Amino acid sequence: MIGVFGKVSKIKNLGLKPDVIYTSLDKINTFDEKLVPLLWVPKAMNIDEGVEDIYGRKYLFAFNNSGCIAKPGIINYSLEALERAHSLGYKKLMLDAIRLPSPIDGLYFLTTCFCSYSLELYSKLRHLRDSFKNILRRPTRQGLLELLDELAYARTEHVENLLSILYDRAKELDVKLIAAVFPYPLSRYVGQEPKVLEKYLSRVHVMLYHKCSGAACLNAEVKHLVKTLRDLGFNYDVIQEIIEDLVKLKLSLEEINSLDQGLNIKHIEGLAKLNKIIYGNKFIPIIWLDENTHCRLESYLGEYQYIDLFVS
């Protein structure tokens, strides 16, 4: 089984036949049995729906289009999208970006969200806000990791709050929820805790993108994490340790300096095996299709039976 995100015509030109096509719900007006509607969950209509950092600054993350998933406008938008998918006859909805900022968002990865809705959802954020201000003045590896771990719990609360709301309504409508998520362990730090995802999702599609430049592309995420850590004054030895702590990638200095050229496939395959162990039968890998992965598709299908491809 092959599912496809992106340019379907390109995959057909390669002689591959997709079984499922994930398509933005905004572009769907009728029912098609081969389509699964996709919802960009944190879609923000304006900067007021953005995340808020420890200094009170608002920011739209990912592709300058995403806000805090604790805010009523974004929750209501997601519910309305679920209702629309159901009204069109679909029994499954793919959730994308049900999370908070990632390393590609620079310092905002460490400093959001502290808006009033987030504080109401997770009151310990009030203390955490001051702690982050202090650690950013005098950063240490251990101090930063401890605070990120606390922030992960707050972000998990955000994701579970929205997922539970969507799940309850989806259950009433007989619609299954699936989602495209970050690979563990980085997933934890954007709010996508595996135990929470498994509780509400019928399938967990893990984005394993080795060579691209946007949000969720692992080489780009790590590149921006490196920049943020360098800006905070960490040396490369410590940065390598933090990358291994947060992303479970053991990268050489040479690999760090060549992230624009992508990650070695062995790293992606290692994360795929790890996430398969975590999610079991709910796991589906999303592979970035290029010359490095095209030649491995038969092997991936043999190992996982069901794979998704992102085709740019």
mmCIF file with all atom_site columns, all heavy atoms in Angstrom, residues 208-232:
data_model
loop_
_atom_site.group_PDB
_atom_site.id
_atom_site.type_symbol
_atom_site.label_atom_id
_atom_site.label_alt_id
_atom_site.label_comp_id
_atom_site.label_asym_id
_atom_site.label_entity_id
_atom_site.label_seq_id
_atom_site.pdbx_PDB_ins_code
_atom_site.Cartn_x
_atom_site.Cartn_y
_atom_site.Cartn_z
_atom_site.occupancy
_atom_site.B_iso_or_equiv
_atom_site.pdbx_formal_charge
_atom_site.auth_seq_id
_atom_site.auth_comp_id
_atom_site.auth_asym_id
_atom_site.auth_atom_id
_atom_site.pdbx_PDB_model_num
ATOM 1   N N   . LEU A 1 208 ? 9.483  11.289 7.963  1.00 0.00 ? 208 LEU A N   1
ATOM 2   C CA  . LEU A 1 208 ? 10.906 10.941 7.969  1.00 0.00 ? 208 LEU A CA  1
ATOM 3   C C   . LEU A 1 208 ? 11.560 11.564 6.735  1.00 0.00 ? 208 LEU A C   1
ATOM 4   O O   . LEU A 1 208 ? 11.943 10.879 5.784  1.00 0.00 ? 208 LEU A O   1
ATOM 5   C CB  . LEU A 1 208 ? 11.067 9.418  7.984  1.00 0.00 ? 208 LEU A CB  1
ATOM 6   C CG  . LEU A 1 208 ? 10.493 8.751  9.243  1.00 0.00 ? 208 LEU A CG  1
ATOM 7   C CD1 . LEU A 1 208 ? 10.218 7.277  9.016  1.00 0.00 ? 208 LEU A CD1 1
ATOM 8   C CD2 . LEU A 1 208 ? 11.448 8.945  10.425 1.00 0.00 ? 208 LEU A CD2 1
ATOM 9   N N   . TYR A 1 209 ? 11.658 12.894 6.770  1.00 0.00 ? 209 TYR A N   1
ATOM 10  C CA  . TYR A 1 209 ? 12.136 13.647 5.611  1.00 0.00 ? 209 TYR A CA  1
ATOM 11  C C   . TYR A 1 209 ? 13.629 13.937 5.786  1.00 0.00 ? 209 TYR A C   1
ATOM 12  O O   . TYR A 1 209 ? 14.027 14.629 6.717  1.00 0.00 ? 209 TYR A O   1
ATOM 13  C CB  . TYR A 1 209 ? 11.376 14.967 5.474  1.00 0.00 ? 209 TYR A CB  1
ATOM 14  C CG  . TYR A 1 209 ? 9.869  14.840 5.413  1.00 0.00 ? 209 TYR A CG  1
ATOM 15  C CD1 . TYR A 1 209 ? 9.054  15.911 5.745  1.00 0.00 ? 209 TYR A CD1 1
ATOM 16  C CD2 . TYR A 1 209 ? 9.256  13.652 5.028  1.00 0.00 ? 209 TYR A CD2 1
ATOM 17  C CE1 . TYR A 1 209 ? 7.671  15.811 5.678  1.00 0.00 ? 209 TYR A CE1 1
ATOM 18  C CE2 . TYR A 1 209 ? 7.881  13.542 4.951  1.00 0.00 ? 209 TYR A CE2 1
ATOM 19  C CZ  . TYR A 1 209 ? 7.092  14.623 5.288  1.00 0.00 ? 209 TYR A CZ  1
ATOM 20  O OH  . TYR A 1 209 ? 5.723  14.528 5.232  1.00 0.00 ? 209 TYR A OH  1
ATOM 21  N N   . HIS A 1 210 ? 14.439 13.453 4.881  1.00 0.00 ? 210 HIS A N   1
ATOM 22  C CA  . HIS A 1 210 ? 15.893 13.552 5.037  1.00 0.00 ? 210 HIS A CA  1
ATOM 23  C C   . HIS A 1 210 ? 16.520 14.705 4.276  1.00 0.00 ? 210 HIS A C   1
ATOM 24  O O   . HIS A 1 210 ? 17.643 15.107 4.579  1.00 0.00 ? 210 HIS A O   1
ATOM 25  C CB  . HIS A 1 210 ? 16.554 12.246 4.583  1.00 0.00 ? 210 HIS A CB  1
ATOM 26  C CG  . HIS A 1 210 ? 16.450 12.015 3.104  1.00 0.00 ? 210 HIS A CG  1
ATOM 27  N ND1 . HIS A 1 210 ? 15.267 11.650 2.497  1.00 0.00 ? 210 HIS A ND1 1
ATOM 28  C CD2 . HIS A 1 210 ? 17.370 12.127 2.108  1.00 0.00 ? 210 HIS A CD2 1
ATOM 29  C CE1 . HIS A 1 210 ? 15.467 11.524 1.196  1.00 0.00 ? 210 HIS A CE1 1
ATOM 30  N NE2 . HIS A 1 210 ? 16.736 11.812 0.936  1.00 0.00 ? 210 HIS A NE2 1
ATOM 31  N N   . LYS A 1 211 ? 15.797 15.255 3.285  1.00 0.00 ? 211 LYS A N   1
ATOM 32  C CA  . LYS A 1 211 ? 16.448 16.256 2.431  1.00 0.00 ? 211 LYS A CA  1
ATOM 33  C C   . LYS A 1 211 ? 15.440 17.241 1.855  1.00 0.00 ? 211 LYS A C   1
ATOM 34  O O   . LYS A 1 211 ? 14.995 17.111 0.726  1.00 0.00 ? 211 LYS A O   1
ATOM 35  C CB  . LYS A 1 211 ? 17.208 15.564 1.292  1.00 0.00 ? 211 LYS A CB  1
ATOM 36  C CG  . LYS A 1 211 ? 18.082 16.498 0.478  1.00 0.00 ? 211 LYS A CG  1
ATOM 37  C CD  . LYS A 1 211 ? 18.797 15.740 -0.642 1.00 0.00 ? 211 LYS A CD  1
ATOM 38  C CE  . LYS A 1 211 ? 19.648 16.683 -1.485 1.00 0.00 ? 211 LYS A CE  1
ATOM 39  N NZ  . LYS A 1 211 ? 20.322 15.962 -2.590 1.00 0.00 ? 211 LYS A NZ  1
ATOM 40  N N   . CYS A 1 212 ? 15.100 18.232 2.629  1.00 0.00 ? 212 CYS A N   1
ATOM 41  C CA  . CYS A 1 212 ? 14.240 19.313 2.156  1.00 0.00 ? 212 CYS A CA  1
ATOM 42  C C   . CYS A 1 212 ? 14.481 20.510 3.069  1.00 0.00 ? 212 CYS A C   1
ATOM 43  O O   . CYS A 1 212 ? 15.308 20.450 3.985  1.00 0.00 ? 212 CYS A O   1
ATOM 44  C CB  . CYS A 1 212 ? 12.779 18.890 2.120  1.00 0.00 ? 212 CYS A CB  1
ATOM 45  S SG  . CYS A 1 212 ? 12.183 17.945 3.547  1.00 0.00 ? 212 CYS A SG  1
ATOM 46  N N   . SER A 1 213 ? 13.777 21.589 2.845  1.00 0.00 ? 213 SER A N   1
ATOM 47  C CA  . SER A 1 213 ? 14.152 22.834 3.528  1.00 0.00 ? 213 SER A CA  1
ATOM 48  C C   . SER A 1 213 ? 13.091 23.414 4.455  1.00 0.00 ? 213 SER A C   1
ATOM 49  O O   . SER A 1 213 ? 13.334 24.436 5.098  1.00 0.00 ? 213 SER A O   1
ATOM 50  C CB  . SER A 1 213 ? 14.514 23.893 2.477  1.00 0.00 ? 213 SER A CB  1
ATOM 51  O OG  . SER A 1 213 ? 13.406 24.138 1.614  1.00 0.00 ? 213 SER A OG  1
ATOM 52  N N   . GLY A 1 214 ? 11.933 22.786 4.541  1.00 0.00 ? 214 GLY A N   1
ATOM 53  C CA  . GLY A 1 214 ? 10.852 23.366 5.321  1.00 0.00 ? 214 GLY A CA  1
ATOM 54  C C   . GLY A 1 214 ? 10.642 22.724 6.675  1.00 0.00 ? 214 GLY A C   1
ATOM 55  O O   . GLY A 1 214 ? 11.412 21.862 7.116  1.00 0.00 ? 214 GLY A O   1
ATOM 56  N N   . ALA A 1 215 ? 9.577  23.142 7.342  1.00 0.00 ? 215 ALA A N   1
ATOM 57  C CA  . ALA A 1 215 ? 9.210  22.576 8.646  1.00 0.00 ? 215 ALA A CA  1
ATOM 58  C C   . ALA A 1 215 ? 8.990  21.078 8.508  1.00 0.00 ? 215 ALA A C   1
ATOM 59  O O   . ALA A 1 215 ? 8.453  20.601 7.509  1.00 0.00 ? 215 ALA A O   1
ATOM 60  C CB  . ALA A 1 215 ? 7.944  23.252 9.171  1.00 0.00 ? 215 ALA A CB  1
ATOM 61  N N   . ALA A 1 216 ? 9.443  20.324 9.511  1.00 0.00 ? 216 ALA A N   1
ATOM 62  C CA  . ALA A 1 216 ? 9.354  18.859 9.594  1.00 0.00 ? 216 ALA A CA  1
ATOM 63  C C   . ALA A 1 216 ? 10.422 18.147 8.775  1.00 0.00 ? 216 ALA A C   1
ATOM 64  O O   . ALA A 1 216 ? 10.565 16.930 8.884  1.00 0.00 ? 216 ALA A O   1
ATOM 65  C CB  . ALA A 1 216 ? 7.973  18.332 9.210  1.00 0.00 ? 216 ALA A CB  1
ATOM 66  N N   . CYS A 1 217 ? 11.187 18.875 7.958  1.00 0.00 ? 217 CYS A N   1
ATOM 67  C CA  . CYS A 1 217 ? 12.329 18.274 7.256  1.00 0.00 ? 217 CYS A CA  1
ATOM 68  C C   . CYS A 1 217 ? 13.461 18.144 8.278  1.00 0.00 ? 217 CYS A C   1
ATOM 69  O O   . CYS A 1 217 ? 13.949 19.149 8.791  1.00 0.00 ? 217 CYS A O   1
ATOM 70  C CB  . CYS A 1 217 ? 12.769 19.149 6.096  1.00 0.00 ? 217 CYS A CB  1
ATOM 71  S SG  . CYS A 1 217 ? 11.492 19.383 4.843  1.00 0.00 ? 217 CYS A SG  1
ATOM 72  N N   . LEU A 1 218 ? 13.860 16.926 8.571  1.00 0.00 ? 218 LEU A N   1
ATOM 73  C CA  . LEU A 1 218 ? 14.787 16.717 9.684  1.00 0.00 ? 218 LEU A CA  1
ATOM 74  C C   . LEU A 1 218 ? 16.121 17.419 9.486  1.00 0.00 ? 218 LEU A C   1
ATOM 75  O O   . LEU A 1 218 ? 16.689 17.951 10.446 1.00 0.00 ? 218 LEU A O   1
ATOM 76  C CB  . LEU A 1 218 ? 14.993 15.222 9.914  1.00 0.00 ? 218 LEU A CB  1
ATOM 77  C CG  . LEU A 1 218 ? 13.857 14.524 10.667 1.00 0.00 ? 218 LEU A CG  1
ATOM 78  C CD1 . LEU A 1 218 ? 14.092 13.023 10.707 1.00 0.00 ? 218 LEU A CD1 1
ATOM 79  C CD2 . LEU A 1 218 ? 13.717 15.074 12.070 1.00 0.00 ? 218 LEU A CD2 1
ATOM 80  N N   . ASN A 1 219 ? 16.641 17.420 8.266  1.00 0.00 ? 219 ASN A N   1
ATOM 81  C CA  . ASN A 1 219 ? 17.906 18.116 8.058  1.00 0.00 ? 219 ASN A CA  1
ATOM 82  C C   . ASN A 1 219 ? 17.767 19.609 8.327  1.00 0.00 ? 219 ASN A C   1
ATOM 83  O O   . ASN A 1 219 ? 18.652 20.237 8.932  1.00 0.00 ? 219 ASN A O   1
ATOM 84  C CB  . ASN A 1 219 ? 18.435 17.868 6.639  1.00 0.00 ? 219 ASN A CB  1
ATOM 85  C CG  . ASN A 1 219 ? 17.503 18.382 5.551  1.00 0.00 ? 219 ASN A CG  1
ATOM 86  O OD1 . ASN A 1 219 ? 16.308 18.043 5.542  1.00 0.00 ? 219 ASN A OD1 1
ATOM 87  N ND2 . ASN A 1 219 ? 18.016 19.181 4.638  1.00 0.00 ? 219 ASN A ND2 1
ATOM 88  N N   . ALA A 1 220 ? 16.631 20.195 7.917  1.00 0.00 ? 220 ALA A N   1
ATOM 89  C CA  . ALA A 1 220 ? 16.398 21.624 8.148  1.00 0.00 ? 220 ALA A CA  1
ATOM 90  C C   . ALA A 1 220 ? 16.132 21.907 9.630  1.00 0.00 ? 220 ALA A C   1
ATOM 91  O O   . ALA A 1 220 ? 16.611 22.909 10.179 1.00 0.00 ? 220 ALA A O   1
ATOM 92  C CB  . ALA A 1 220 ? 15.223 22.106 7.304  1.00 0.00 ? 220 ALA A CB  1
ATOM 93  N N   . GLU A 1 221 ? 15.379 21.021 10.279 1.00 0.00 ? 221 GLU A N   1
ATOM 94  C CA  . GLU A 1 221 ? 15.103 21.209 11.709 1.00 0.00 ? 221 GLU A CA  1
ATOM 95  C C   . GLU A 1 221 ? 16.409 21.181 12.514 1.00 0.00 ? 221 GLU A C   1
ATOM 96  O O   . GLU A 1 221 ? 16.632 22.020 13.387 1.00 0.00 ? 221 GLU A O   1
ATOM 97  C CB  . GLU A 1 221 ? 14.158 20.112 12.205 1.00 0.00 ? 221 GLU A CB  1
ATOM 98  C CG  . GLU A 1 221 ? 12.749 20.147 11.621 1.00 0.00 ? 221 GLU A CG  1
ATOM 99  C CD  . GLU A 1 221 ? 11.874 21.255 12.196 1.00 0.00 ? 221 GLU A CD  1
ATOM 100 O OE1 . GLU A 1 221 ? 12.322 21.984 13.111 1.00 0.00 ? 221 GLU A OE1 1
ATOM 101 O OE2 . GLU A 1 221 ? 10.721 21.390 11.731 1.00 0.00 ? 221 GLU A OE2 1
ATOM 102 N N   . VAL A 1 222 ? 17.273 20.212 12.202 1.00 0.00 ? 222 VAL A N   1
ATOM 103 C CA  . VAL A 1 222 ? 18.537 20.108 12.927 1.00 0.00 ? 222 VAL A CA  1
ATOM 104 C C   . VAL A 1 222 ? 19.445 21.295 12.605 1.00 0.00 ? 222 VAL A C   1
ATOM 105 O O   . VAL A 1 222 ? 20.117 21.835 13.488 1.00 0.00 ? 222 VAL A O   1
ATOM 106 C CB  . VAL A 1 222 ? 19.248 18.779 12.614 1.00 0.00 ? 222 VAL A CB  1
ATOM 107 C CG1 . VAL A 1 222 ? 20.622 18.730 13.273 1.00 0.00 ? 222 VAL A CG1 1
ATOM 108 C CG2 . VAL A 1 222 ? 18.397 17.602 13.094 1.00 0.00 ? 222 VAL A CG2 1
ATOM 109 N N   . LYS A 1 223 ? 19.455 21.725 11.365 1.00 0.00 ? 223 LYS A N   1
ATOM 110 C CA  . LYS A 1 223 ? 20.263 22.886 10.971 1.00 0.00 ? 223 LYS A CA  1
ATOM 111 C C   . LYS A 1 223 ? 19.883 24.120 11.798 1.00 0.00 ? 223 LYS A C   1
ATOM 112 O O   . LYS A 1 223 ? 20.758 24.842 12.301 1.00 0.00 ? 223 LYS A O   1
ATOM 113 C CB  . LYS A 1 223 ? 20.068 23.174 9.481  1.00 0.00 ? 223 LYS A CB  1
ATOM 114 C CG  . LYS A 1 223 ? 20.763 24.443 9.004  1.00 0.00 ? 223 LYS A CG  1
ATOM 115 C CD  . LYS A 1 223 ? 20.408 24.755 7.555  1.00 0.00 ? 223 LYS A CD  1
ATOM 116 C CE  . LYS A 1 223 ? 20.966 26.114 7.141  1.00 0.00 ? 223 LYS A CE  1
ATOM 117 N NZ  . LYS A 1 223 ? 20.602 26.449 5.738  1.00 0.00 ? 223 LYS A NZ  1
ATOM 118 N N   . HIS A 1 224 ? 18.592 24.364 11.949 1.00 0.00 ? 224 HIS A N   1
ATOM 119 C CA  . HIS A 1 224 ? 18.153 25.534 12.706 1.00 0.00 ? 224 HIS A CA  1
ATOM 120 C C   . HIS A 1 224 ? 18.363 25.344 14.205 1.00 0.00 ? 224 HIS A C   1
ATOM 121 O O   . HIS A 1 224 ? 18.618 26.315 14.928 1.00 0.00 ? 224 HIS A O   1
ATOM 122 C CB  . HIS A 1 224 ? 16.687 25.848 12.395 1.00 0.00 ? 224 HIS A CB  1
ATOM 123 C CG  . HIS A 1 224 ? 16.492 26.492 11.062 1.00 0.00 ? 224 HIS A CG  1
ATOM 124 N ND1 . HIS A 1 224 ? 16.456 25.778 9.889  1.00 0.00 ? 224 HIS A ND1 1
ATOM 125 C CD2 . HIS A 1 224 ? 16.357 27.794 10.710 1.00 0.00 ? 224 HIS A CD2 1
ATOM 126 C CE1 . HIS A 1 224 ? 16.287 26.603 8.870  1.00 0.00 ? 224 HIS A CE1 1
ATOM 127 N NE2 . HIS A 1 224 ? 16.222 27.827 9.341  1.00 0.00 ? 224 HIS A NE2 1
ATOM 128 N N   . LEU A 1 225 ? 18.275 24.106 14.674 1.00 0.00 ? 225 LEU A N   1
ATOM 129 C CA  . LEU A 1 225 ? 18.591 23.834 16.077 1.00 0.00 ? 225 LEU A CA  1
ATOM 130 C C   . LEU A 1 225 ? 20.054 24.169 16.351 1.00 0.00 ? 225 LEU A C   1
ATOM 131 O O   . LEU A 1 225 ? 20.376 24.790 17.374 1.00 0.00 ? 225 LEU A O   1
ATOM 132 C CB  . LEU A 1 225 ? 18.307 22.369 16.402 1.00 0.00 ? 225 LEU A CB  1
ATOM 133 C CG  . LEU A 1 225 ? 18.661 21.898 17.817 1.00 0.00 ? 225 LEU A CG  1
ATOM 134 C CD1 . LEU A 1 225 ? 17.883 22.687 18.873 1.00 0.00 ? 225 LEU A CD1 1
ATOM 135 C CD2 . LEU A 1 225 ? 18.405 20.408 17.960 1.00 0.00 ? 225 LEU A CD2 1
ATOM 136 N N   . VAL A 1 226 ? 20.919 23.780 15.443 1.00 0.00 ? 226 VAL A N   1
ATOM 137 C CA  . VAL A 1 226 ? 22.345 24.085 15.580 1.00 0.00 ? 226 VAL A CA  1
ATOM 138 C C   . VAL A 1 226 ? 22.557 25.594 15.647 1.00 0.00 ? 226 VAL A C   1
ATOM 139 O O   . VAL A 1 226 ? 23.312 26.098 16.498 1.00 0.00 ? 226 VAL A O   1
ATOM 140 C CB  . VAL A 1 226 ? 23.153 23.476 14.411 1.00 0.00 ? 226 VAL A CB  1
ATOM 141 C CG1 . VAL A 1 226 ? 24.591 24.001 14.418 1.00 0.00 ? 226 VAL A CG1 1
ATOM 142 C CG2 . VAL A 1 226 ? 23.142 21.956 14.493 1.00 0.00 ? 226 VAL A CG2 1
ATOM 143 N N   . LYS A 1 227 ? 21.901 26.326 14.755 1.00 0.00 ? 227 LYS A N   1
ATOM 144 C CA  . LYS A 1 227 ? 22.060 27.777 14.749 1.00 0.00 ? 227 LYS A CA  1
ATOM 145 C C   . LYS A 1 227 ? 21.598 28.394 16.069 1.00 0.00 ? 227 LYS A C   1
ATOM 146 O O   . LYS A 1 227 ? 22.275 29.271 16.638 1.00 0.00 ? 227 LYS A O   1
ATOM 147 C CB  . LYS A 1 227 ? 21.288 28.403 13.588 1.00 0.00 ? 227 LYS A CB  1
ATOM 148 C CG  . LYS A 1 227 ? 21.460 29.922 13.507 1.00 0.00 ? 227 LYS A CG  1
ATOM 149 C CD  . LYS A 1 227 ? 20.643 30.541 12.398 1.00 0.00 ? 227 LYS A CD  1
ATOM 150 C CE  . LYS A 1 227 ? 20.931 32.034 12.283 1.00 0.00 ? 227 LYS A CE  1
ATOM 151 N NZ  . LYS A 1 227 ? 20.739 32.774 13.561 1.00 0.00 ? 227 LYS A NZ  1
ATOM 152 N N   . THR A 1 228 ? 20.459 27.955 16.561 1.00 0.00 ? 228 THR A N   1
ATOM 153 C CA  . THR A 1 228 ? 19.950 28.486 17.830 1.00 0.00 ? 228 THR A CA  1
ATOM 154 C C   . THR A 1 228 ? 20.919 28.205 18.964 1.00 0.00 ? 228 THR A C   1
ATOM 155 O O   . THR A 1 228 ? 21.208 29.090 19.792 1.00 0.00 ? 228 THR A O   1
ATOM 156 C CB  . THR A 1 228 ? 18.569 27.877 18.153 1.00 0.00 ? 228 THR A CB  1
ATOM 157 O OG1 . THR A 1 228 ? 17.651 28.220 17.113 1.00 0.00 ? 228 THR A OG1 1
ATOM 158 C CG2 . THR A 1 228 ? 18.032 28.394 19.482 1.00 0.00 ? 228 THR A CG2 1
ATOM 159 N N   . LEU A 1 229 ? 21.435 27.003 19.014 1.00 0.00 ? 229 LEU A N   1
ATOM 160 C CA  . LEU A 1 229 ? 22.370 26.630 20.077 1.00 0.00 ? 229 LEU A CA  1
ATOM 161 C C   . LEU A 1 229 ? 23.687 27.384 19.955 1.00 0.00 ? 229 LEU A C   1
ATOM 162 O O   . LEU A 1 229 ? 24.288 27.769 20.962 1.00 0.00 ? 229 LEU A O   1
ATOM 163 C CB  . LEU A 1 229 ? 22.602 25.122 20.062 1.00 0.00 ? 229 LEU A CB  1
ATOM 164 C CG  . LEU A 1 229 ? 21.365 24.260 20.378 1.00 0.00 ? 229 LEU A CG  1
ATOM 165 C CD1 . LEU A 1 229 ? 21.675 22.783 20.174 1.00 0.00 ? 229 LEU A CD1 1
ATOM 166 C CD2 . LEU A 1 229 ? 20.877 24.514 21.807 1.00 0.00 ? 229 LEU A CD2 1
ATOM 167 N N   . ARG A 1 230 ? 24.135 27.604 18.733 1.00 0.00 ? 230 ARG A N   1
ATOM 168 C CA  . ARG A 1 230 ? 25.346 28.407 18.537 1.00 0.00 ? 230 ARG A CA  1
ATOM 169 C C   . ARG A 1 230 ? 25.115 29.840 19.006 1.00 0.00 ? 230 ARG A C   1
ATOM 170 O O   . ARG A 1 230 ? 25.985 30.444 19.641 1.00 0.00 ? 230 ARG A O   1
ATOM 171 C CB  . ARG A 1 230 ? 25.754 28.391 17.060 1.00 0.00 ? 230 ARG A CB  1
ATOM 172 C CG  . ARG A 1 230 ? 26.349 27.083 16.581 1.00 0.00 ? 230 ARG A CG  1
ATOM 173 C CD  . ARG A 1 230 ? 27.714 26.816 17.214 1.00 0.00 ? 230 ARG A CD  1
ATOM 174 N NE  . ARG A 1 230 ? 28.747 27.710 16.699 1.00 0.00 ? 230 ARG A NE  1
ATOM 175 C CZ  . ARG A 1 230 ? 29.909 27.918 17.287 1.00 0.00 ? 230 ARG A CZ  1
ATOM 176 N NH1 . ARG A 1 230 ? 30.202 27.311 18.422 1.00 0.00 ? 230 ARG A NH1 1
ATOM 177 N NH2 . ARG A 1 230 ? 30.793 28.740 16.763 1.00 0.00 ? 230 ARG A NH2 1
ATOM 178 N N   . ASP A 1 231 ? 23.936 30.378 18.675 1.00 0.00 ? 231 ASP A N   1
ATOM 179 C CA  . ASP A 1 231 ? 23.615 31.742 19.113 1.00 0.00 ? 231 ASP A CA  1
ATOM 180 C C   . ASP A 1 231 ? 23.582 31.859 20.637 1.00 0.00 ? 231 ASP A C   1
ATOM 181 O O   . ASP A 1 231 ? 23.844 32.926 21.195 1.00 0.00 ? 231 ASP A O   1
ATOM 182 C CB  . ASP A 1 231 ? 22.266 32.179 18.540 1.00 0.00 ? 231 ASP A CB  1
ATOM 183 C CG  . ASP A 1 231 ? 22.311 32.414 17.025 1.00 0.00 ? 231 ASP A CG  1
ATOM 184 O OD1 . ASP A 1 231 ? 23.422 32.523 16.482 1.00 0.00 ? 231 ASP A OD1 1
ATOM 185 O OD2 . ASP A 1 231 ? 21.229 32.467 16.408 1.00 0.00 ? 231 ASP A OD2 1
ATOM 186 N N   . LEU A 1 232 ? 23.251 30.739 21.307 1.00 0.00 ? 232 LEU A N   1
ATOM 187 C CA  . LEU A 1 232 ? 23.223 30.736 22.771 1.00 0.00 ? 232 LEU A CA  1
ATOM 188 C C   . LEU A 1 232 ? 24.615 30.524 23.370 1.00 0.00 ? 232 LEU A C   1
ATOM 189 O O   . LEU A 1 232 ? 24.771 30.583 24.592 1.00 0.00 ? 232 LEU A O   1
ATOM 190 C CB  . LEU A 1 232 ? 22.277 29.651 23.275 1.00 0.00 ? 232 LEU A CB  1
ATOM 191 C CG  . LEU A 1 232 ? 20.784 29.889 23.027 1.00 0.00 ? 232 LEU A CG  1
ATOM 192 C CD1 . LEU A 1 232 ? 19.968 28.676 23.464 1.00 0.00 ? 232 LEU A CD1 1
ATOM 193 C CD2 . LEU A 1 232 ? 20.301 31.136 23.768 1.00 0.00 ? 232 LEU A CD2 1
#
